[in-house]
Amino acid sequence: MTFDLLVRNARLADGRTVDIGIAGDRITACERTIAAEAGETIDAAGSLVSPPFVDPHFHMDATLSFGQPRVNRSGTLLEGIELWGELKPLLTHEAVVDRALAYCDWAVSMGLLAIRSHVDTCDDRLLAVDALLEVREKVAPYIDLQLVAFPQDGFYRSATARDNTIRALDRGVDVVGGIPHFERTMADGRRSVTELCEIAADRGLPVDMHCDETDDPMSRHVEQLAFEAQRLGLQGRVAGSHLTSMHSMENYYVSKLLPLIAEAGVSAIPNPLINIVIQGRHDTYPKRRGMTRVPEMLDHGIRVGFGQDCVLDPWYSLGTADMLDVAFMGLHVAQMTSPHDMRRCFDMVTKESAAILGLEGYGLDVGCKANLVVLDAGDPIEAIRLRADRLFVVANGRIVARCARRDTALALPGRPARVDRRFKTPQTNDEENGA
Ligand code: FE2
């Protein structure tokens, strides 16, 4: 057997060390030792090799626009929407494409090879839609980019949003989005969920809706989303993004809601970096964290993927396309600090998000697409703790990014010459019990 690329001494998340053989754009062997030569060889030297990071929630039309035309002073979602509304008429096709491609470069360097991006459809020109459709094609050799038709200003609230959303889907946008909590009334929000799910069912498309992104405990559109998923037979194809109102809901109601979401096969996409900075802005003290109830959802068997949402845009003034930042923040906000839970946080920026996106051939098994990342860490927990460097990134069988191992020299009397930041997390009871 011959290979185009061999990744030797790859440590997998389950602790095994293997060689991974790649021919063309597929993994064709994964064994303890492969006795063969290859066109190119990577020696992972016992470092963690993972399938690529997956971002299930992003806004690529707004990314890298921070400061244009001004910054968000209140830090709220609503001022962010207002600011984006000021920027929208000033957008040009070229500028949106350039910013998006620059972001995709960052993503590749971070081993982030699959992104679901919402694209604003509340613009009669559909400028951002056309720009991101072009970007989707341009980056296809190395990034799986899914687009969601997102009526940012409200499917009913904005006069032409309904028509424009349908036009965007006609142009090839992949997923149906929505924003029920931004409609004029709760009733309109509910109706929008119903109609958007019906559009998705008619077209055979998935649904991914911004849902209840508010601190209002009475914002309960996710209940309708779960109902429609079940009524229309969309189980497994519907995601609710944010769901932050659930943080503030009454506990008894949540005890009824979570089983309904699980039963309807609706996935959840919290966005920890954004939820923690945007929610609770109207509180004095104590300030709510705003992120939805992640451990409780997992306990109910609801699929959860962490998303990035924003990088350097009207809603968020930082970001580097690093899904380990997202996992790190999610882990803290959800207080998921046991070794078992920290591993689950890694899964939420890799395989769980891949499952939400319905990615074909995701993983490191024979037959999977040859997409992987070599991290400067020994295991997933260490990867999160160090926000580990991506030593190599492979997309469709080709090395698309590499960086040198960080090597800090120390000059301390009686101490080693180099700093070693590695630390192996001990196996603990909670992992043995699956707790
Ligand atoms: Fe979003």
Side-chain angles (χ1 to χ4, degrees):
M1 198 180 281
T2 56
F3 302 100
D4 298 312
L5 178 62
L6 259 178
V7 183
R8 292 204 184 277
N9 306 309
R11 179 75 52 86
L12 304 182
D14 64 12
R16 284 179 300 145
T17 302
V18 296
D19 291 348
I20 298 170
I22 291 166
D25 62 358
R26 293 278 161 175
I27 293 173
T28 52
C30 184
E31 293 160 26
R32 178 64 195 90
T33 313
I34 296 176
E37 291 304 308
E40 201 163 5
T41 300
I42 293 171
D43 183 6
S47 290
L48 176 66
V49 176
S50 169
F53 293 104
V54 178
D55 182 359
H57 188 112
F58 195 61
H59 294 263
M60 205 176 277
D61 48 1
T63 196
L64 307 190
S65 69
F66 181 64
Q68 298 177 32
R70 60 181 176 83
V71 298
N72 185 336
R73 280 181 290 266
S74 66
T76 60
L77 171 75
L78 297 182
E79 187 179 340
I81 294 175
E82 205 179 300
L83 211 167
W84 173 241
E86 292 168 29
L87 177 58
K88 248 193 289 193
L90 310 175
L91 294 175
T92 65
H93 181 95
E94 292 68 30
V96 176
V97 169
D98 285 353
R99 285 194 279 99
L101 288 177
Y103 180 79
C104 287
D105 294 345
W106 294 13
V108 167
S109 75
M110 291 295 186
L112 168 55
L113 300 182
I115 301 171
R116 176 180 276 182
S117 173
H118 296 252
V119 55
D120 189 355
T121 55
C122 292
D123 168 10
D124 293 344
R125 301 170 299 167
L126 289 184
L127 184 142
V129 170
D130 287 340
L132 290 195
L133 285 169
E134 186 181 320
V135 170
R136 185 179 69 181
E137 206 174 308
K138 281 203 163 109
V139 302
Y142 49 91
I143 290 181
D144 217 323
L145 176 59
Q146 282 185 7
L147 299 178
V148 186
F150 175 48
Q152 170 78 79
D153 300 330
F155 188 61
Y156 296 133
R157 188 169 169 181
S158 166
T160 52
R162 190 178 174 284
D163 287 350
N164 289 338
T165 301
I166 289 167
R167 282 170 59 219
L169 294 170
D170 288 342
R171 289 189 191 186
V173 169
D174 312 278
V175 182
V176 178
I179 185 164
H181 53 277
F182 195 66
E183 303 294 346
R184 287 196 178 90
T185 62
M186 284 288 178
D188 268 6
R190 194 176 307 122
R191 274 203 309 127
S192 78
V193 173
T194 299
E195 185 173 356
L196 287 160
C197 286
E198 285 172 352
I199 290 170
D202 283 350
R203 291 171 177 252
L205 297 177
V207 175
D208 189 333
M209 210 169 279
H210 284 67
C211 200
D212 304 320
E213 190 185 3
T214 157
D215 292 317
D216 175 5
M218 297 312 290
S219 188
R220 295 176 168 190
H221 297 297
V222 65
E223 181 184 277
Q224 191 71 17
L225 188 64
F227 172 78
E228 296 299 349
Q230 208 148 37
R231 179 176 74 88
L232 297 164
L234 294 170
Q235 291 95 334
R237 286 163 46 196
V238 176
S241 281
H242 293 294
L243 307 178
T244 51
S245 65
M246 203 186 296
H247 187 91
S248 302
M249 283 172 183
E250 204 268 316
N251 289 332
Y252 177 78
Y253 174 67
V254 176
S255 77
K256 178 192 162 201
L257 179 63
L258 290 179
L260 289 173
I261 296 173
E263 193 179 293
V266 170
S267 304
I269 306 176
N271 297 285
L273 292 162
I274 307 309
N275 300 152
I276 197 71
V277 297
I278 281 186
Q279 304 310 137
R281 286 273 178 169
H282 298 274
D283 294 352
T284 53
Y285 286 94
K287 277 185 195 289
R288 283 167 289 176
R289 297 166 186 223
M291 193 168 81
T292 197
R293 304 190 189 199
V294 175
E296 292 77 8
M297 286 182 168
L298 293 171
D299 288 348
H300 279 81
I302 296 166
R303 174 162 274 143
V304 182
F306 282 146
Q308 177 135 233
D309 202 6
C310 302
V311 167
L312 292 166
D313 70 8
W315 297 274
Y316 189 57
S317 39
L318 292 169
T320 59
D322 187 352
M323 293 307 292
L324 289 174
D325 274 349
V326 175
F328 186 82
M329 181 60 77
L331 179 163
H332 283 79
V333 178
Q335 299 183 326
M336 293 178 67
T337 48
S338 73
H340 175 70
D341 278 346
M342 289 193 284
R343 285 177 194 277
R344 290 169 108 184
C345 287
F346 188 85
D347 291 345
M348 285 189 274
V349 293
T350 50
K351 63 183 182 184
E352 293 303 317
S353 289
I356 291 174
L357 267 58
L359 297 182
E360 184 269 325
Y362 181 86
L364 296 178
D365 296 329
V366 172
C368 287
K369 283 187 182 167
N371 295 330
L372 56 84
V373 53
V374 182
L375 291 142
D376 192 7
D379 59 54
I381 295 172
E382 192 165 68
I384 295 175
R385 182 173 63 82
L386 298 176
R387 261 81 83 232
D389 286 335
R390 284 65 166 169
L391 300 174
F392 293 91
V393 180
V394 174
N396 291 317
R398 236 169 42 80
I399 298 173
V400 289
R402 67 176 87 205
C403 83
R405 190 167 260 125
R406 226 185 291 186
D407 184 21
T408 308
L410 282 181
L412 298 171
R415 300 302 305 151
R418 305 257 169 256
V419 72
D420 181 2
R421 301 183 302 149
R422 294 280 183 101
F423 181 87
K424 188 168 170 21
T425 306
Q427 193 78 17
T428 56
N429 287 340
D430 73 339
E431 281 184 280
E432 285 155 22
N433 302 332

